[in-house]
Amino acid sequence: MIEIKNIVKTYRPNRGEAVTALDHVSLKFPENGLVFILGKSGSGKSTLLNVMGGLDNADSGEIIIKGKSSKDFSTGDFDSYRNTYLGFVFQEYNILEDFNVGANVALALKLQGRKATDEEINEILEEVDLAGFGKRKPNELSGGQKQRVAIARALVKNPEIIMADEPTGALDSKSGLQIMEIFDGLHDEGATIIMITHEMGVAKRAGRVMHIRDGMLTDGVFSAHTAGGDIK
């Protein structure tokens, strides 16, 4: 489904030394399920997600998507990859504060070239446990509810892969658990969830975990994990 090969990304500030955020990273993701990339702040995990998602460009290396290399991608291919194949969920929610919940979802539908009907908006909101919240403004929502709106907007695409960058990082433990239960349901339905986190407790939910440190994967393979055990 998606594989990265020898990805290198270096940031060169105007002052100071260059920083290598990703140092020849290679990784092949499974066809489905919930997978985590675990690392401390500054380890390169968010940069890795942004490069894989086509939000940032690598200095070298390639992404293999359904057997096709990003080296052979046109601008249109990258647009299609981001707009139809992937769904993004970020820690900061990125929802529009001036729009109510229903309008936030409606805008995501329109960006996909689809008519935003009340029926479809309500179905999507129900999927993330926000039935009846369509008329509410973001300032009337808790952090967990805002994150569910962000997930709802990602689901509009019916994406094969959802990339989530610290989606529980700004939430209390109860809200974080509710968000993880939504992601559990999504991967049970066949979606691949690739999640970035620095929280060991969150990563323990996954069957596949990859550790990143100083821009390098620690072992190059996913470590297996079973409920109640330790992450290796």
Side-chain angles (χ1 to χ4, degrees):
M1 180 176 285
I2 181 170
E3 180 179 2
I4 54 175
K5 291 185 176 181
N6 295 316
I7 294 292
V8 176
K9 177 65 178 180
T10 301
Y11 292 106
R12 295 176 173 84
N14 293 330
R15 297 182 179 180
E17 296 182 357
V19 176
T20 299
L22 298 173
D23 190 358
H24 295 90
V25 175
S26 296
L27 185 61
K28 185 174 183 179
F29 287 87
E31 288 292 325
N32 53 56
L34 178 61
V35 299
F36 280 80
I37 299 174
L38 180 67
K40 295 180 179 180
S41 178
S43 62
K45 58 188 187 298
S46 292
T47 300
L48 177 58
L49 197 75
N50 288 339
V51 169
M52 288 193 302
L55 302 177
D56 199 357
N57 295 320
D59 297 324
S60 61
E62 61 184 322
I63 308 169
I64 309 297
I65 303 153
K66 290 189 172 181
K68 184 174 182 177
S69 171
S70 59
K71 292 181 178 180
D72 300 323
F73 271 29
S74 65
T75 300
D77 288 332
F78 268 116
D79 289 342
S80 177
Y81 172 60
R82 286 188 297 263
N83 294 335
T84 62
Y85 190 66
L86 301 178
F88 295 98
V89 179
F90 301 100
Q91 180 177 341
E92 298 84 3
Y93 320 131
N94 290 350
I95 61 176
L96 300 175
E97 294 291 334
D98 293 335
F99 287 24
N100 64 25
V101 169
N104 267 278
V105 176
L107 179 60
L109 284 164
K110 291 175 182 176
L111 290 174
Q112 294 298 306
R114 293 156 61 186
K115 185 178 180 180
T117 65
D118 289 342
E119 181 180 5
E120 185 166 11
I121 290 170
N122 291 334
E123 286 177 358
I124 293 170
L125 290 178
E126 186 172 354
E127 191 169 354
V128 295
D129 297 325
L130 286 178
F133 280 68
K135 300 297 184 182
R136 295 199 190 184
K137 287 294 223 27
N139 62 9
E140 301 176 279
L141 305 179
S142 67
Q145 290 166 339
K146 288 181 181 180
Q147 193 60 286
R148 290 187 218 172
V149 177
I151 295 171
R153 294 194 315 177
L155 294 182
V156 162
K157 301 180 182 182
N158 294 316
E160 295 187 39
I161 295 177
I162 295 175
M163 294 187 174
D165 191 357
E166 301 276 10
T168 63
L171 305 179
D172 60 72
S173 57
K174 181 180 179 180
S175 298
L177 179 61
Q178 292 170 340
I179 293 300
M180 289 309 305
E181 288 173 349
I182 292 175
F183 281 121
D184 285 341
L186 293 175
H187 83 72
D188 285 343
E189 294 172 5
T192 295
I193 315 292
I194 301 173
M195 188 174 297
I196 299 295
T197 186
H198 67 275
E199 300 177 81
M200 183 71 75
V202 171
K204 285 184 177 180
R205 301 177 66 90
R208 303 177 180 93
V209 178
M210 172 60 63
H211 298 259
I212 188 169
R213 183 182 297 119
D214 298 328
M216 295 182 288
L217 299 177
T218 57
D219 51 16
V221 295
F222 284 107
S223 58
H225 175 66
T226 56
D230 295 325
I231 296 176
K232 299 179 180 179

